[in-house]
């Protein structure tokens, strides 16, 4: 498959297709929608249900295998594995909830949930790694957009669940079983690696801005539609019209490659030469005239490193000798900002600081997300789907805004992105105190603020990991960082929060707990966790400030000189 430079249609077509795959990858957020059915059909208590939530998070975030294989397999094959996980995992859950298979063992459901949600790791890794490499100069923006859409996926599924599926958990699981593989099969052709541009492209910013605005409109539309569906009794016709508008908004990023296609046709008809095509296929004369020979060889070596395997060939060695860099590549250890192997990154203090900051932030947030339905019930909320939709929309705002805001300040002030983890985790600590106090009329506001801060953790961690440790082995490094999510779910949600809830429910003489005592102690512990995470984020920010001063000293991202040798 021929490589195509950034700024031409295939990278933007791939980004538009990635939007749909990211929505599919957000299937793990549906657990609060069908977990009450699992609890009632199978007769589980809250701690058993919470441990299923842990399985949901383990599967969703255990991406070490996708991280390894994304450097060895083409993106379409990684997506195919994710589609197969969807089909088998959610298919087993559908059989259990629909009572097609009676008395399914608990361990079988636990494993099935891991397999089902592990599809998110395969799908997310394929599209994120591919697009980060296709747009290396806009890492924060790309991460924010893609992580934003996966954050919006919960609202997409909630709208479908309420309007089209009529609150049927069985139909929702059937949709996940059959619908998500269809999305993957449709989009896998368009998600492919392209040779990135050798310098920052100003035209990209307008395209990214359009995609961000389209995603904001989609988020507002989903929030409004879900609220209308919960408050009003909408007819089937109105419901399907709302669903159709949502599909059109999801298709809106396709306007960018469509515009490029139309512009090229107009330029051909008018006889105006196409700058992008001429730049894609420069003559040998222009190459020799504009660029020195060593610069061409060095740049080509650097750009192709995104897609190379770990094994060095004899040709690579000869090229390195020709540039006088063979000893450097064999002996010198990488510095922060260059390409690290996974084991090289694993022994770095900054790697573990970033992991701990992410673990404490998302671990506390996912504890609330997994128990959001029970938190709403304990607070006296009748329809907890509104809480889930609100959290989803604000999670999207945090992911999109975290990527854009951190990108602005890293370019203008060379401010490390981790400073936003410190700020948002301190806000999260205050929010957990509000949850614990159970003040009147603060539940929805607290849920909204928590969703924003929770989303920021994702869109900040992703580009930070790529900037500190490079893109060559980004897939496995990024997926190791994601393990902070299920680890937090296991320790804080599965073991601690579930235990506290069941003890309080036992005191009330039933399986359901009502009142602020159900999660009061849990929220106080989560507040302390976020204070610790904020302190560690400040330490990380101080440590990596020189790296960002080196990477962004010119006002835009540039590779370290040593990495280009």
């Amino acid at each position: 498959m021929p490589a195509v430079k950034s700024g031409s249609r295939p990278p933007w077509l791939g980004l538009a297709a990635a939007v749909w795959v990211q929505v599919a990858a957000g299937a793990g957020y549906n657990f609060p929608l069908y977990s009450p059915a699992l609890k009632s059909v199978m007769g589980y208590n809250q701690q058993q249900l919470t441990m299923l939530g842990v399985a949901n998070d383990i599967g969703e975030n255990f991406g070490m295998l996708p991280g390894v294989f994304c450097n060895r397999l083409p993106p379409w094959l990684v997506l195919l594995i994710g589609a197969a996980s969807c089909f088998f995992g959610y298919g087993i859950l559908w059989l259990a909830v629909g009572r097609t298979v009676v008395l399914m063992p608990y361990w079988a459901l636990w494993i099935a949930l891991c397999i089902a949600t592990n599809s998110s790791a395969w799908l997310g890794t394929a599209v994120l790694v591919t697009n980060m490499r296709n747009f290396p100069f806009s890492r924060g923006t790309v991460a924010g957009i893609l992580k934003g859409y996966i954050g919006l996926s919960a609202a997409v599924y909630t709208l479908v669940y309420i309007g089209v599926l009529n609150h049927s958990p069985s139909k929702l699981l059937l949709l996940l079983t059959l619908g998500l593989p269809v999305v993957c099969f449709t989009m896998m052709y368009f998600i492919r690696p392209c040779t990135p541009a050798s310098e920052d492209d100003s035209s990209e910013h307008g395209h990214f801005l359009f995609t961000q605005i389209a995603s904001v409109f989609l988020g507002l539309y989903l929030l409004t539609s879900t609220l209308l569906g919960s408050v009003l009794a909408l007819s089937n016709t109105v419901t399907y019209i709302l669903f159709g508008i949502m599909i059109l908004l999801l298709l809106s990023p396709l306007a960018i490659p469509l515009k490029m296609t139309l512009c090229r046709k107009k330029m051909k008809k008018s006889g105006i030469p196409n700058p992008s095509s001429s730049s894609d296929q420069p003559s040998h004369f222009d190459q020799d005239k504009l660029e020195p020979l060593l610069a061409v060889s060095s740049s080509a070596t650097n750009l192709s490193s995104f897609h190379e395997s770990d094994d060095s060939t004899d040709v690579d060695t000869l090229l390195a000798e020709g540039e006088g860099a063979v000893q450097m590549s064999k002996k010198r250890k990488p510095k922060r900002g260059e390409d690290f192997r996974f084991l090289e990154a694993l022994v770095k203090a900054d790697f573990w600081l970033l992991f701990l900051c992410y673990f404490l932030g998302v671990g506390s947030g996912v504890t609330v997300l997994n128990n959001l339905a029970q938190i709403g019930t304990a607070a006296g909320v009748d329809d907890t789907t509104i809480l889930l939709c609100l959290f989803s929309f604000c999670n999207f705002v945090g992911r999109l805004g975290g990527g854009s805001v951190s990108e602005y300040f890293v370019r203008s002030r060379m401010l490390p992105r981790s400073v936003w983890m410190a700020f948002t985790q301190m806000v999260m600590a205050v929010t957990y105190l509000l949850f614990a106090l159970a003040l009147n009329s603060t539940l929805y506001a607290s849920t909204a603020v928590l969703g924003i801060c929770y989303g920021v953790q994702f869109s900040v961690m992703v580009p930070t990991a790529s900037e500190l440790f490079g893109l060559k082995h980004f897939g496995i490094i990024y997926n190791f960082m994601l393990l902070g999510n299920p680890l937090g779910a296991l320790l804080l949600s599965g073991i601690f929060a579930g235990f506290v809830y069941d003890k309080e429910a036992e005191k009330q003489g039933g399986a359901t707990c009502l009142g602020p005592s159900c999660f009061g102690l849990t929220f106080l512990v989560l507040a302390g966790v976020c204070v610790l995470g904020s302190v560690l984020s400040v330490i990380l920010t101080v440590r990596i400030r020189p790296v960002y001063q080196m990477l962004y000293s010119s006002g835009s991202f540039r590779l370290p000189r040593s990495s280009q040798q």
Side-chain angles (χ1 to χ4, degrees):
M1 184 179 295
V4 186
K5 288 189 177 181
S6 177
S8 58
R9 284 171 294 166
W12 292 101
L13 193 59
L15 185 64
V19 165
W20 283 79
V21 177
Q22 285 293 79
V23 172
Y29 289 116
N30 287 306
F31 183 73
L33 295 179
Y34 60 80
S35 60
L38 273 177
K39 186 177 182 179
S40 62
V41 170
M42 307 304 295
Y44 295 147
N45 61 31
Q46 183 61 28
Q47 191 162 16
Q48 286 176 309
L49 187 66
T50 305
M51 289 307 296
L52 285 177
V54 172
N56 183 85
D57 293 314
I58 289 175
E60 187 179 8
N61 294 281
F62 186 75
M64 298 300 290
L65 285 178
V68 171
F69 284 111
C70 71
N71 276 1
R72 291 170 169 79
L73 300 177
W76 68 265
L77 190 51
V78 178
L79 292 173
L80 184 62
I81 296 173
S85 298
C86 274
F87 180 77
F88 289 109
Y90 285 116
I92 293 174
L93 293 174
W94 173 70
L95 293 175
V97 171
R99 300 179 188 268
T100 305
V101 176
V102 184
L103 299 177
M104 188 173 292
Y106 181 82
W107 62 265
L109 280 178
W110 201 92
I111 293 175
L113 195 52
C114 282
I115 294 173
T117 55
N118 191 240
S119 63
S120 299
W122 291 93
L123 304 183
T125 298
V127 299
L128 184 64
V129 172
T130 302
N131 282 279
M132 291 276 283
R133 289 172 174 174
N134 287 346
F135 299 100
F137 297 99
S138 303
R139 303 182 189 190
T141 304
V142 170
I145 289 172
L146 294 181
K147 285 295 180 181
Y149 272 101
I150 200 174
L152 269 183
S153 60
V156 172
Y157 289 118
T158 302
L159 180 62
V160 174
Y161 177 74
I162 294 175
V164 180
L165 304 180
N166 298 316
H167 293 83
S168 172
S170 179
K171 291 180 180 178
L172 174 63
L173 288 170
L174 183 60
L175 173 67
L176 300 179
T177 302
L178 301 178
L180 301 192
V182 170
V183 171
C184 294
F185 293 147
T186 305
M187 299 299 168
M188 62 172 57
Y189 172 77
F190 304 105
I191 299 171
R192 55 182 179 175
C194 304
T195 303
S198 58
E199 60 183 12
D200 199 5
D201 184 3
S202 60
S203 66
E204 284 186 355
H205 302 310
H207 295 152
F208 282 130
L209 181 61
F210 171 81
T211 307
Q212 290 168 329
I213 292 173
S215 65
V216 170
F217 273 111
L218 174 62
L220 291 172
Y221 173 78
L222 289 170
L223 181 63
T224 304
S225 300
T226 304
L227 291 175
L228 286 175
S230 300
V231 175
L232 303 177
L234 302 178
S235 65
N236 289 336
T237 303
V238 174
T239 298
Y240 285 112
I241 289 174
L242 293 175
F243 177 74
I245 295 174
M246 181 192 74
I247 297 297
L248 291 176
L249 289 173
L250 282 170
L251 289 170
S252 58
L254 282 173
I256 297 171
L258 182 62
K259 168 202 158 189
M260 291 180 169
T261 302
L262 295 175
C263 286
R264 288 187 177 189
K265 289 182 178 179
K266 288 181 179 179
M267 294 174 73
K268 285 181 180 179
K269 289 182 179 180
S270 60
I272 301 174
N274 189 349
S276 62
S277 62
S278 63
S279 63
D280 286 350
Q281 298 176 344
S283 66
H284 294 292
F285 175 78
D286 291 338
Q287 284 184 338
D288 295 338
K289 181 178 179 180
L290 296 177
E291 300 182 71
L293 179 61
L294 286 180
V296 172
S297 177
S298 175
S299 175
T301 302
N302 176 59
L303 291 175
S304 64
S305 68
F306 292 141
H307 310 292
E308 287 177 337
S309 64
D310 295 340
D311 300 327
S312 298
T313 63
D314 293 337
V315 175
D316 295 329
T317 305
L318 290 173
L319 288 174
E321 288 177 339
E323 297 182 13
V326 67
Q327 293 182 352
M328 291 284 289
S329 63
K330 292 290 184 182
K331 296 181 180 180
R332 188 181 65 79
K333 294 182 178 179
K335 297 179 180 179
R336 293 178 301 181
E338 300 175 10
D339 288 324
F340 279 72
R341 295 176 183 269
F342 175 65
L343 293 180
E344 291 172 335
L346 205 60
V347 298
K348 293 296 182 181
D350 293 335
F351 179 91
W352 289 106
L353 272 174
L354 181 59
F355 176 82
L356 286 174
C357 295
Y358 178 75
F359 157 69
L360 296 172
V362 300
S364 62
V366 79
T367 301
V368 175
L369 179 60
N370 283 353
N371 295 278
L372 195 57
Q374 289 73 30
I375 291 171
T377 301
V381 175
D382 295 327
D383 189 358
T384 57
T385 56
I386 298 178
L387 277 178
L388 178 62
C389 183
L390 181 63
F391 185 94
S392 171
F393 173 74
C394 294
N395 180 21
F396 153 73
V397 171
R399 293 179 184 224
L400 184 67
S404 300
V405 171
S406 67
E407 188 77 17
Y408 172 79
F409 280 96
V410 82
R411 289 172 180 266
S412 62
R413 305 285 180 85
M414 294 175 288
L415 188 65
R417 301 180 196 269
S418 53
V419 71
W420 301 106
M421 297 180 82
F423 173 73
T424 51
Q425 288 190 34
M426 189 57 68
V427 175
M428 289 171 77
V430 176
T431 305
Y432 290 134
L433 293 178
L434 288 176
F435 273 114
L437 293 173
L439 300 176
N440 291 332
S441 305
T442 60
L443 178 62
Y444 290 98
S446 299
T447 302
V449 173
L450 181 63
I452 293 173
C453 296
Y454 177 72
V456 170
Q457 313 305 310
F458 291 89
S459 59
V460 167
M461 179 277 289
V462 173
T464 300
S466 73
E467 287 159 343
L468 292 179
F469 306 110
L471 282 173
K472 187 172 183 180
H473 301 282
F474 171 69
I476 187 170
I477 291 173
Y478 155 72
N479 278 291
F480 185 88
M481 291 288 173
L482 285 185
L483 291 178
N485 198 315
L487 183 61
L490 174 63
L491 298 177
L492 298 174
S493 179
I495 296 177
F496 182 70
F499 174 78
V500 171
Y501 181 93
D502 283 337
K503 284 295 181 182
E504 292 295 329
E506 187 179 343
K507 291 178 183 178
Q508 296 181 10
T512 303
C513 182
L514 299 175
S517 62
C518 302
F519 292 96
L521 179 59
T522 300
F523 287 132
L524 292 176
V525 171
L526 295 183
V529 165
C530 281
V531 170
L532 176 60
S534 185
V535 172
L536 292 178
S537 298
V538 171
I539 295 173
L540 176 63
T541 300
V542 174
R543 285 180 55 88
I544 65 177
R545 182 69 188 269
V547 181
Y548 280 82
Q549 290 174 337
M550 179 267 295
L551 292 176
Y552 289 93
S553 60
S554 62
S556 61
F557 182 83
R558 65 183 180 86
L559 290 170
R561 181 174 300 178
S562 56
S563 70
Q564 300 179 22
Q565 294 177 342

